[in-house]
Amino acid sequence: DGQQLALFAMRELVTDISLQPGGGMSASGQLGDLTAQDMYTVPGQPYEMVGLREDEQSLLTFQYNSPSDAERSRLRAAMQCDSSLRLRMSSVRVSYWHPAFMRTVSYLQDGVLGALVSATASTVVQVARSVLSNGAGEASAIALDVEVGSPLLLLPAEANSPDGLRADLGSIAIR
């Protein structure tokens, strides 16, 4: 019907990619902010579904390192991680209102994004089958260092309502 469903905004994506001799690569960067607002549920009163918590400046910083081909072979032979990924995610606020969430998911799955997700999932399955059928001897192992700073999950009683459940999930880390 031509009505706006949601508004997604991203600000300040900065990346630095370096290709090194022998096939190595490093990439780092920062995503300043990402917000999502439901524009449909309560017309004229959009509410934020995803956003940074107060006093946060940057949503995400990342650093990825992949060694040269020779170093990768040495690390694989020693059964060590041959690349690393470090992610730091600031405290975010997520307001989950099921009807709005499902409406957005349905819209995204029906369009081009749905076709891309389907194609990506198919490719991932093919790669996983290939790795499993060829053995894990050449498989890559990545060292993960992920920290998420105190996400706040809101489950409102109704859209844009201050009443409902609040869950501060504390610090989350994967290493």
Side-chain angles (χ1 to χ4, degrees), residues 9-14 30-34 52 56-58:
M10 181 177 74
R11 139 181 101 75
E12 292 184 33
L13 173 62
V14 178
Q30 171 180 321
L31 173 58
D33 193 4
L34 177 69
L52 289 175
E56 294 291 344
Q57 300 297 318
S58 174

Side-chain angles (χ1 to χ4, degrees), residues 2 7 21 34 65 91 96 101 144 161-162:
L7 177 64
L34 177 69
N65 292 303
S91 297
Y96 181 83
F101 179 78
L144 290 177
S161 169

Side-chain angles (χ1 to χ4, degrees), residues 14-131:
V14 178
T15 59
D16 180 25
I17 299 173
S18 299
L19 300 177
Q20 299 161 1
M25 181 185 87
S26 66
S28 61
Q30 171 180 321
L31 173 58
D33 193 4
L34 177 69
T35 59
Q37 291 182 330
D38 175 1
M39 306 295 284
Y40 186 84
T41 302
V42 183
Q45 292 183 324
Y47 74 93
E48 193 170 78
M49 298 185 306
V50 177
L52 289 175
R53 290 179 75 170
E54 293 152 18
D55 300 327
E56 294 291 344
Q57 300 297 318
S58 174
L59 177 66
L60 180 74
T61 60
F62 65 91
Q63 184 175 6
Y64 173 77
N65 292 303
S66 178
S68 67
D69 294 339
E71 180 67 6
R72 180 183 310 276
S73 294
R74 186 191 70 72
L75 290 167
R76 286 181 180 176
M79 302 290 280
Q80 295 179 346
C81 294
D82 58 9
S83 57
S84 65
L85 177 63
R86 181 178 188 264
L87 292 172
R88 296 293 180 264
M89 187 170 168
S90 297
S91 297
V92 294
R93 183 182 58 254
V94 177
S95 181
Y96 181 83
W97 175 244
H98 189 72
F101 179 78
M102 293 311 296
R103 189 171 36 250
T104 304
V105 167
S106 175
Y107 173 80
L108 292 174
Q109 287 179 339
D110 287 344
V112 173
L113 185 59
L116 288 172
V117 168
S118 177
T120 301
S122 176
T123 301
V124 167
V125 168
Q126 289 174 356
V127 168
R129 283 185 183 150
S130 173
V131 167

